[in-house]
Amino acid sequence: MERTKCLIIGSGPAGYTAAIYTSRANLSPIEYSGMQPGGQLTQTTEVENFPGYPQGVDGNQMMMDLMEQAQRFGTDIRMGTIEKVDFSKAPYVCTADDGTEIAADTVIIATGASAKYLGLDDERKYNGQGVSACATCDGFFYRKKTVAVVGGGDTACEDALYLSGLAKKVYLIVRKPFLRASQVMQQRVKERENIEILFEHNTIGLFGENGVEGAHLVKRMGEPDEELVDIAIDGFFLAIGHKPNTDIFKEWLDMDEVGYLKKIDGTPKTKIPGVFVAGDCADPVYRQAISAAGSGCQAAIEAERYLLNK
């Protein structure tokens, strides 16, 4: 069994930033990069809202830069996933998908979250070419254009409102005959002139030669008066929620009903001493690269202090 002062589970802005800080503090961290090395940002093309990149930066490139920075200070970055953890006593034993067991004095969890998709082949086909799961990341590219948002909850309404300030027109595609969002959000969306709500519509496909040019919808699916509707759009935004990648921690850590890990008093600490959280796996609210990176720094500093005090 291997021993380490610090094991980082997951890569992305949170995991890599934690790795940069812990490796510079001489903790010689081991980092498992997970199913999607670099995290959600590797699915966006251009990142324009991360400070320090006046011309914007490719999401993949940015993650490569962070990875190299972590490696430069001695982080042992490994491909693969951690599939099992035992937080019953320190050092905490974590098992990787290849069977490697690592006993860690501290663990930083930065496993992120995955956007929920409708499951259409076209979503994959047009990923990064008009399909996005992050309005605040990609909305800017659709100034004066027409976009659609899928969903009926608070997130979908927030995204529609945000996009309505940039786009010429926003369709809100809602499966049900009503919105699930809070009253105040519903009111705002209904009052916004350039948002059109399409109740009882299901998306069944997307079309376009060079990226998304429209969506195929079905109105009142399965009813006698069912009809096919096509809308012309330049961008298709998913707002049907995120799922934090936290299943393996269920037995050990507190989480909300969706699966977001709970922090103690807004710090990166969890109820288990020496186990810290960072990034989107513990952030249902902001979900930005910059806030994830900041929380990675906080988790690393807490881990370092914890080891000093032990």
Side-chain angles (χ1 to χ4, degrees), residues 67-68 81 100 117 162 250 300:
M67 183 180 83
E68 283 175 22
T81 53
T100 304
Y117 284 79
Y162 174 78
K250 267 202 176 80

Side-chain angles (χ1 to χ4, degrees), residues 3 6 12 25 29 32 37 39 42 46 61 91 95 101-102 114 123 138 149 167 174 231 234 242 253 258 298 305 310:
R3 252 329 265 273
C6 180
Y32 272 81
T42 56
E46 192 81 2
Q61 186 56 51
T95 311
E101 289 190 332
I102 295 166
S114 306
E123 287 171 316
D138 299 329
V149 175
V174 187
I231 54 170
D234 305 292
H242 283 72
L253 300 175
V258 181
Q298 292 172 339
R305 284 181 184 160
K310 229 174 86 168

Side-chain angles (χ1 to χ4, degrees), residues 2-11 15-16 18-24 26-34 66-82 96 98 100-103 108:
E2 290 187 64
R3 252 329 265 273
T4 183
K5 287 182 188 154
C6 180
L7 173 68
I8 298 165
I9 306 176
S11 53
Y16 286 143
I20 291 164
Y21 272 79
T22 49
S23 53
R24 287 187 78 248
N26 256 354
L27 302 187
S28 310
I30 294 171
E31 178 176 22
Y32 272 81
S33 56
L66 287 186
M67 183 180 83
E68 283 175 22
Q69 197 170 348
Q71 284 174 321
R72 179 187 153 204
F73 296 115
T75 304
D76 176 357
I77 297 177
R78 302 178 181 182
M79 299 303 281
T81 53
I82 295 293
D98 64 357
T100 304
E101 289 190 332
I102 295 166
I108 295 174

Side-chain angles (χ1 to χ4, degrees), residues 183-199:
Q183 282 305 317
V184 59
M185 291 303 284
Q186 292 192 35
Q187 203 52 41
R188 283 182 195 157
V189 165
K190 285 169 181 169
E191 285 168 3
R192 192 63 62 92
E193 282 174 9
N194 62 339
I195 297 179
E196 183 182 336
I197 306 174
L198 302 175
F199 286 114

Side-chain angles (χ1 to χ4, degrees), residues 201-262:
H201 281 69
N202 278 287
T203 309
I204 54 167
L206 302 167
F207 60 89
E209 288 298 306
N210 303 308
V212 172
E213 289 169 19
H216 299 300
L217 313 177
V218 177
K219 184 179 181 182
R220 289 180 57 78
M221 189 182 252
E223 299 299 322
D225 57 351
E226 164 182 308
E227 63 174 299
L228 294 169
V229 181
D230 280 1
I231 54 170
I233 52 170
D234 305 292
F236 184 77
F237 288 86
L238 291 136
I240 52 175
H242 283 72
K243 187 187 181 314
N245 306 316
T246 56
D247 288 351
I248 64 165
F249 309 112
K250 267 202 176 80
E251 195 185 327
W252 308 102
L253 300 175
D254 294 336
M255 45 181 81
D256 71 7
E257 64 282 359
V258 181
Y260 287 100
L261 297 171
K262 289 186 176 173

Side-chain angles (χ1 to χ4, degrees), residues 163-181:
L163 290 164
S164 73
L166 296 161
K168 178 174 69 190
K169 168 152 193 165
V170 180
Y171 289 105
L172 185 56
I173 303 170
V174 187
R175 242 189 6 217
K176 299 194 160 91
F178 57 87
L179 291 169
R180 283 182 298 110

